[in-house]
Amino acid sequence: MAFNWDDWAFTRDGDPPAEWPWWMDRRHVEFIYSLLMTGKFRRVLEIGCHHGSSTAALVQAINDGIDLDLHLCDPDDNDRLRRVIAACTGRVAYHPCDSLRVLPVRQWDMVIVDGDHRLPQASRELGLLLAQEVQTIIAHDVEVRWMGEWCAGSVLLGDVLRMHPAYRCEVDAEKRPGEFTERGLLWATRHEELHRLGVEAFRKHAAAKRFTC
């Protein structure tokens, strides 16, 4: 099965012009979908949904037969995200609150971190992720080193995970025409088997020559 990117195009419509879009690049969203379709993840939390571009990969995985206990956390409740949630054929728990209230409530198989990238918030999220020994972590904007305080937390999270002896990491931060992938997507897992299963998909999507935003 493949991720139906065009079906979720509305999640990116109407965003104000900016140097960097808030939504995640297509190839990185498709990687998340491919990873979920391995069927190795049950309890999944996404921190920072914006209008649901990356969330759509989680919803479509459920619609395509993957059994997920899916939780979404973003204090910005908006119509486009609600439309993505409403399209899900399974149950989705939406938490319009601070991620620090949601992260400790259960043992997560996968956490996608793409919320507040500033140091105070992201460093606290990192502390909880490591304390809980979360099995698999996906983090966006880990290479946005030129944004100073606005992305200092996401950069720190990526740097710490790459140095952590318990995690095997892959990072795609290649600059590509028409894309914004140089912002960096990191995938880290504590389990050798999951690393083997995911690394092929990660490298396939990183190497693909299509994809424009």
Side-chain angles (χ1 to χ4, degrees):
M1 294 182 179
F3 179 67
N4 298 322
W5 180 259
D6 292 338
D7 289 353
W8 309 100
F10 66 88
T11 63
R12 303 178 312 284
D13 292 343
D15 277 0
E19 184 179 0
W20 306 103
W22 285 20
W23 37 264
M24 192 180 292
D25 285 270
R26 173 178 176 176
R27 71 176 67 238
H28 293 161
V29 174
E30 292 199 6
F31 162 70
I32 292 173
Y33 173 80
S34 296
L35 193 58
L36 291 170
M37 292 304 291
T38 65
K40 296 295 184 180
F41 306 93
R42 174 76 176 90
R43 298 173 299 276
V44 176
L45 169 65
E46 182 180 40
I47 297 171
C49 306
H50 190 43
H51 294 151
S53 182
S54 55
T55 310
L58 313 178
V59 168
Q60 189 179 315
I62 292 174
N63 292 352
D64 289 345
I66 298 300
D67 182 19
L68 294 182
D69 177 15
L70 176 59
H71 291 250
L72 310 174
C73 180
D74 196 317
D76 178 24
D77 189 357
N78 62 82
D79 291 340
R80 273 178 280 180
L81 178 58
R82 288 287 182 177
R83 184 175 167 187
V84 173
I85 295 171
C88 188
T89 58
R91 189 182 70 85
V92 180
Y94 174 53
H95 308 276
C97 64
D98 192 313
S99 62
L100 303 180
R101 296 175 55 188
V102 182
L103 263 170
V105 302
R106 64 185 62 203
Q107 187 64 45
W108 305 102
D109 297 331
M110 176 192 288
V111 176
I112 301 168
V113 186
D114 195 14
D116 186 342
H117 290 341
R118 291 171 295 181
L119 191 58
Q121 182 72 11
S123 61
R124 292 180 176 93
E125 290 171 348
L126 174 62
L128 288 171
L129 291 167
L130 296 180
Q132 292 179 282
E133 298 184 345
V134 172
Q135 172 181 279
T136 299
I137 301 166
I138 295 174
H140 194 219
D141 294 325
V142 297
E143 287 295 338
V144 188
R145 300 178 187 272
W146 56 89
M147 288 289 287
E149 65 177 303
W150 297 106
C151 289
S154 58
V155 170
L156 172 72
L157 191 151
D159 288 347
V160 169
L161 287 174
R162 273 178 281 204
M163 293 185 292
H164 200 291
Y167 285 94
R168 297 167 178 262
C169 296
E170 301 282 338
V171 180
D172 176 49
E174 183 177 339
K175 185 174 178 61
R176 301 176 175 92
E179 301 182 58
F180 303 93
T181 47
E182 62 265 41
R183 294 177 292 176
L185 184 79
L186 175 142
W187 165 56
T189 183
R190 299 177 66 90
H191 296 281
E192 184 176 352
E193 180 187 4
L194 288 175
H195 184 258
R196 288 198 306 268
L197 287 171
V199 71
E200 182 178 348
F202 191 85
R203 291 176 178 170
K204 178 187 74 175
H205 289 294
K209 297 187 182 302
R210 55 190 176 89
F211 301 131
T212 55
C213 297

